[in-house]
Amino acid sequence: MLDNKISFTLNGKKVEFIGDPLRRLIDTLREDFGLTGVKEGCGEGECGACSVIKDGKLVTSCIIPMGSVAGSDIWTIEGIRDTELGAIIIEAFADGGAVQCGFCIPGMVLASYVLLSEKTNPSELEIREAISGNICRCTGYDLIVESIRLADSRRRGV
Amino acid sequence: MSASCYIPENLTEALEIRKKVHAIPLAGGTDLMVQAKRGIGINPVFPAPIMIITNLEELKGIRVEEDGTLVIGALTTSAEIASDERVFYHIRKAASLMGAVSLRNSATIGGNIANASPKGDLPQPLILLDAEVVLSSIDGERSMKVDDFITGAKKTALKDDEIIKEIRVRPVKATHLFYHKIGTRRANAISKLSLSILADVEDGIVKDFRASSGAAGNKVKRDRNVEMILIGKHIEELPSLVEEFTSAWDGILSPHAMPKYRRESTRRMLSYFLERIAAGAEPGIIE
Ligand SMILES: Cc1cc2nc3c(=O)[nH]c(=O)nc-3n(C[C@H](O)[C@H](O)[C@H](O)COP(=O)(O)OP(=O)(O)OC[C@H]3O[C@@H](n4cnc5c(N)ncnc54)[C@H](O)[C@@H]3O)c2cc1C
Ligand code: FES
Ligand code: FES
């Protein structure tokens, strides 16, 4: 089996992966790049704990092989937290009491980031839809939805 | 370690690899990666060589040809289909209800068809619309109806040197549309039942009528003979045909795949649609 060289962008920096193209993106991020904000819940695309942003879209990194990542632009919570919108969302989550155990939160923040990048003043339905693939076992979602609202109004300065 | 894994750079290279070693195409990977899962930090293993085709540009995107035929590249994702107004209602709606956001960003239409799961959501509307798959190999192309391509549960007519290139849907005239899916839960819901219906009513006459049921047996259920019960009839006659039609429809559903209460839901939705048309419902989506 030949090791493949796969180039992609990770949190804004060009990086290279050399290895089995079937290696899961989540394992590469956590083990090879030390980005442990990416969490593994179900490992089957169901819970959203492993969410990352790939070419501007939310995806679950536990079911993406490295071979699919070639040439992509990948963002994890470690990169998003330093962006202006990312920082606003994280602060709103803290202020809005959206965080309990915290396991789902990186995925939730990334889902919120994609939503708020695409839409201003989203409806409650749109917010719930945007986070529908992110399972939270602690909060019952209402405080998360409220916090996303709060983030949206803060970044609009209202 | 995996048998081997290829990342072809273009379609021709992919078809050569497919011909030579019959490598299994991996598109979005949302079915394959779950099947091959071995655990945290352990690379998935497949019984045969794999080729990752996720980024083959030639198989991406949606276009409309001069005669109105809609062409959807095999690697087009459910999210892309759901957000494209040019796509026929039933396909768009089915794509928009697949899984949750992130699943729809990875899952492809080619993968959904090739996977041929009776619970897969896209074959159902595609079969309603008589859509065709175009199959490519290094030796040429052939096409066939999706309904003929999917031969049973997890079974297709795909040859080991072929890949699905695109899906073609010729324009279908319709005045009244209906789609409904009953899933397992809110997000990432796999179908327990899905139903598409369309009717083309002109001057009170039912010019065309079609329905297709998903998750209803080993494959999508559709039957032109049953549809013929309604075709050519005046909408005023529909109420008197509901019983005959819905019973005939019930007869084509598999009692094993669909328990009685779910077959009853199908019957109720069909009756509702027909009653609305008989009552002179405005053209559009029946909700
Ligand atoms: C959490 C979760 C939720 C889901 N929810 C739904 C749902 O609501 N509805 C639904 O229908 N499905 C659902 N699925 C199943 C799956 O996402 C779909 O079947 C999807 O469309 C598969 O596409 P893919 O590109 O990911 O396929 P892959 O996993 O890449 O491939 C699937 C099969 O198709 C073959 N294949 C792929 N592309 C081609 C091609 N171009 N030519 C020939 N063969 C090809 C592969 O070799 C493989 O056999 C869900 C899956 C997960 C993990
Ligand atoms: S760990 Fe990836 S979706 Fe659950
Ligand atoms: S805060 Fe615990 S899972 Fe969401």
Side-chain angles (χ1 to χ4, degrees), chain A residues 23-36 38 40, chain B residues 39-43:
Chain A
R23 183 165 175 78
R24 304 181 312 161
L25 173 58
I26 186 174
D27 293 326
T28 301
L29 295 174
R30 287 181 59 86
E31 297 180 1
D32 306 344
F33 289 96
L35 300 171
T36 51
V38 188
E40 176 141 3
Chain B
I40 294 175
I42 311 171
N43 298 344

Side-chain angles (χ1 to χ4, degrees), chain A residues 44-46, chain B residues 24-32 34 53 74 98-99 103 107-108 110-112 114-115 119-121 158 163-164 181 188-190:
Chain A
E44 299 191 347
E46 305 255 0
Chain B
I24 300 168
L26 184 150
T30 60
D31 280 311
L32 287 176
V34 173
I53 60 170
M98 275 175 67
L103 188 274
T108 70
N112 201 253
N115 197 47
K119 297 189 188 304
D121 281 323
L158 188 75
I163 67 174
I164 301 176
K181 164 178 170 174
N188 280 327
I190 306 285

Side-chain angles (χ1 to χ4, degrees), chain A residues 22 27 42 46 58 68 129 132, chain B residues 37 41 44 54 104-105 185 187:
Chain A
L22 289 172
D27 293 326
C42 64
E46 305 255 0
L58 195 74
S68 298
E129 170 62 26
S132 66
Chain B
K37 173 192 169 191
T54 320
R104 294 196 290 274
N105 284 332
R185 57 196 151 75

